[in-house]
Every structure is written in structure tokens, then in C-alpha cells.
Amino acid sequence: MTRNAEIAGGGIGGLSLAALLARQGWRVRVHEQSPEIREVGAGIYIKNNSLEVLEHLGVMDRIRAFGTRLDYAQIRFADGRVKQQRRLEGDSRVHTFPRQVLIEGLRDAALSAGAQIETGSRVRGVENGALITQAGERCPADLIVGADGVHSAVRGSLNIGGSFTELPTLIDRFLVVSREFTPDPKTVEHWSGNRRIGVTPAGPEHTYVYMVAPAKDAGAARLPLDVDNWSQSFPLLRPLFDMLHRAPATQYPYGVVRCPKWAVGSVAIIGDAAHGLPPTLGQGGGLTLMNSLALATLLRDAKDIPATLLEWERRVRFISDRTQSWSCRYDAFTRQWPTALDFARPLVVWSFGKFRFLNNRMRIADHGLKLAGIQIDKKGASC
């Protein structure tokens, strides 16, 4: 008997899980509220745990040429000094892509596996074993998945007490058609006081830039970008700011989701709806992909879906919880560090680059599902 799944949200989580379940013979329908499958015009870091899932799905073969494999990650201070450098290999490997490239790769994988995608379909919640749309359609299913973001309607309808909290940090994101400032395959994060700027190649033609500052920093919050204001903090980057001043940008505050339960009956919560976190470690998409593969793997031969969902949460949640905690700590460190103690900041940065055990604790998600006892390869997964 064919089992069916109804998924709220056509983002990274919804599409990846749709592709994985459909390949296992499920009848899958994805409800996306927007009129088309699209992502914001920025870049995304695809780290080792994400790469394992995309390789398993065959998506990397579709999108590899549109991204950049990075060799190094650096932290530099405003005067150009390199204070930390990590080689990105093994469990630390990283690719970068324009976000739209990734979302289209996942969309195509889901469609080719036989999943159905309904755009313009807004979900209202879950009721008595059925997903309910705003149009009033009742969609009973063996499995219902809320992959509908930080303000998840599915999570809200379960009355489990989940919440989204904005943090006092703003991020601006740019994706520009230029490799003028990123000729080499490395990502550089520039620090000055409580401001940070990341500059990374994202494919043969694009550069991804993010700019982070405390929300109370009025000069940093201005868009179009205030060239003179940012140049006071990063004088060596003024040519980059001149370009970004003319480029489209997105701006939003950091936030964190607290979700007491990821599984209620036959309903699962994944992605930002379950573990939304500041993007300080570049693991929002990575945790989502990893948890989607773990869920599909455990469901493959499951006879009791509610029990399997509880087992899934028990086995994988600790990775997301720890990553979320470290992401919040990293944000607090960069946002709240007293400027009077700037002389001590290089020592902290150096320590995390020097001592492997600190990096392993902070970047636990990079090691992937093997930490949960789930082995992955390009042809399949086993637990």
C-alpha cells in the first residue's frame, strides 16, 4: 500500500524531504504559498553535512558547475591582518552557490522523483490527521510535515508552545555579478568592532556578501549601503562598498526558534520551523537537509510512523540543539564584545582556530549524520 505525505513549505526542507520520500515510493505533495519556487537573491554555504545529502540525492551533479568549492576560510581584521585561517577539507569541506541554484536543484530532484508541487497553496495548520489549506481543502495523510519557516502555521496549530524570537542583530545580504573582489576560492570574514563582513565567491560569475551589525547601529542599518559610514570601519574595503551601494540587498534581523517537540503523532516539524537559528555558522540549510535525510531513512521500513518520528527526534535533535546554542553564542560574542577590550579579541579568535576540540564542539553539525549512527553514501543511506 502506497503511503502519502503532505508537506507545508517548498523551501530547502520541504523539497529535499519530498525528493527523498518520493524516491522511496511515497506519494508526496508539497504546498508552497508563493506563486513559484524561489529563494532570496543571496548566496548559501553548503557544508559537509549538506554535501552528503545533496550527493545522495544526485543534486550536486546538477548544480556543481554553478558553485565554488572553497579551499580556505579566513578571519581578517580591518587592517587586513589574517587572524585565523582554516583549510576546508574532509568534514570541513564547503561549497557556495547562489541560493536560487540550490532551490531549483532540489525542486527538479523532487519533481523527477514523482513528487507533486502546488504553488499558491497556503497552509493554515493541521487538524485530526489532515493538513488544512487556507482555501479550506482538507488533506489527510500518513505523514504531515511542517517545513514552513520560523512562523510555521503547522507548528502553531499543534499547540506545543513553539516560538520565534528576534535577536538584536541585523544582516544585509548581497549577491553581485562580479568576481573582482573574490578571484580565489576562499571565504573571508572581516571584523571591525562589532561589525562583520563576509565576502565569498559563489560560482563562476557571482560574489556573495553579508554585512552584520547590532540592530542599534543606525549607520549600518541604512540602505542603500552608506559607503562613508562602513568605510570608517573597513577603510580597505571602500571599493567593495562602492559596488554594493548600487546593488540590491535584503535586510532582516537574526532570530531563533524554540520548538519543544519536533514530532506529534504523525506530524513532523523540520527546518527553520523546528530549529531556526542565527546564520553565524552557516548551518541553517545544512541542519535542514541532514534532518530530512535522517527522517526519510528511518521512515523507509517503518510500520509505526508516530513511533518512528519520536525515534528520529531522539537520534538527531542533539546536533541541531548544540549548533543552535553555538550559533547564538557566536552572535552574542561578535555583537556584545566591549570595544574597550578589542585588544583581547584576537586571542579568542586565535584560540578557536588553533584548538581542534573547540572547533569540533562549535561545528558539530559539519560531521553529519554519522554522529547519529546513520551512514550515508551517494547511492543510499542505512541506519
Side-chain angles (χ1 to χ4, degrees):
M1 181 177 177
T2 300
R3 296 181 293 183
N4 73 301
E6 299 282 348
I7 300 175
I12 291 172
L15 293 174
S16 60
L17 184 60
L20 290 160
L21 292 176
R23 283 175 29 155
Q24 294 175 189
W26 286 67
R27 185 171 64 251
V28 184
R29 178 164 55 168
V30 177
H31 298 262
E32 168 53 42
Q33 64 181 4
S34 300
E36 58 183 332
I37 300 296
R38 286 199 60 81
E39 272 283 358
V40 295
I44 188 168
Y45 294 90
I46 303 297
K47 300 193 172 184
N48 178 65
N49 55 326
S50 305
L51 291 167
E52 291 178 339
V53 181
L54 297 177
E55 289 164 351
H56 172 80
L57 277 170
V59 171
M60 277 302 291
D61 293 335
R62 299 170 182 258
I63 69 174
R64 192 184 309 274
F66 302 100
T68 300
R69 177 169 183 165
L70 302 176
D71 291 338
Y72 292 96
Q74 292 181 346
I75 291 178
R76 295 189 179 191
F77 285 7
D79 60 5
R81 289 176 297 156
V82 176
K83 301 307 297 182
Q84 184 190 110
Q85 177 167 288
R86 294 187 301 122
R87 185 160 183 82
L88 302 177
E89 58 186 0
D91 284 356
S92 297
R93 61 189 176 131
V94 183
H95 289 239
T96 48
F97 293 92
R99 280 179 172 262
Q100 188 63 21
V101 167
L102 174 63
I103 207 71
E104 288 179 3
L106 291 170
R107 176 202 63 194
D108 294 347
L111 291 172
S112 64
Q116 179 184 354
I117 300 174
E118 286 195 12
T119 55
S121 179
R122 182 183 292 270
V123 169
R124 190 172 71 205
V126 176
E127 183 180 292
N128 297 325
L131 182 145
I132 311 298
T133 70
Q134 286 284 20
E137 182 182 4
R138 188 174 185 275
C139 310
D142 298 295
L143 172 69
I144 298 171
V145 179
D148 48 345
V150 297
H151 300 294
S152 171
V154 171
R155 187 187 68 224
S157 71
L158 296 175
N159 296 316
I160 56 177
S163 64
F164 169 72
T165 303
E166 286 189 2
L167 299 175
T169 303
L170 286 180
I171 182 170
D172 297 341
R173 286 174 164 171
F174 304 81
L175 186 68
V176 294
V177 184
S178 172
R179 286 290 300 272
E180 177 184 356
F181 300 99
T182 54
D184 300 319
K186 64 182 179 183
T187 179
V188 181
E189 187 170 83
H190 304 265
W191 289 22
S192 178
N194 299 118
R195 293 179 172 186
R196 293 183 293 121
I197 300 173
V199 185
T200 309
E205 299 179 348
H206 291 90
T207 291
Y208 170 43
V209 180
Y210 61 83
M211 307 177 70
V212 183
K216 63 183 180 181
D217 185 337
R222 285 195 286 270
L223 286 177
L225 182 140
D226 188 327
V227 174
D228 290 336
N229 185 278
W230 278 96
S231 296
Q232 291 174 15
S233 299
F234 300 93
L236 298 181
L237 297 183
R238 186 176 188 107
L240 173 65
F241 301 148
D242 286 333
M243 180 177 67
L244 296 179
H245 176 76
R246 302 185 297 272
T250 60
Q251 182 182 90
Y252 64 89
Y254 281 2
V256 62
V257 169
R258 306 297 184 189
C259 187
K261 298 180 180 180
W262 288 7
V264 178
S266 60
V267 182
I269 310 296
I270 66 171
D272 284 346
H275 53 68
L277 71 170
T280 47
L281 297 178
Q283 276 293 355
L287 293 173
T288 300
L289 288 165
M290 186 175 68
N291 292 338
S292 295
L293 178 55
L295 179 57
T297 300
L298 295 174
L299 284 169
R300 187 171 51 203
D301 301 314
K303 294 181 174 58
D304 185 334
I305 289 177
T308 301
L309 298 189
L310 293 175
E311 173 68 4
W312 163 69
E313 180 175 359
R314 185 190 70 79
R315 288 180 65 168
V316 304
R317 177 164 184 159
F318 76 97
I319 302 173
S320 297
D321 285 348
R322 292 183 190 178
T323 302
Q324 187 185 66
S325 293
W326 276 103
S327 296
C328 290
R329 291 186 191 115
Y330 194 105
D331 170 49
F333 168 67
T334 56
R335 170 171 34 86
Q336 297 177 348
W337 188 268
T339 54
L341 297 178
D342 268 355
F343 68 90
R345 193 195 299 257
L347 178 60
V348 178
V349 175
W350 176 85
S351 297
F352 275 91
K354 182 68 174 177
F355 298 116
R356 184 181 298 273
F357 79 94
L358 287 174
N359 251 307
N360 285 341
R361 288 174 67 87
M362 183 169 68
R363 304 181 194 279
I364 182 175
D366 290 4
H367 303 293
L369 284 174
K370 61 188 177 185
L371 297 176
I374 298 175
Q375 301 300 316
I376 307 168
D377 59 38
K378 293 183 181 180
K379 296 181 180 178
S382 60
C383 46

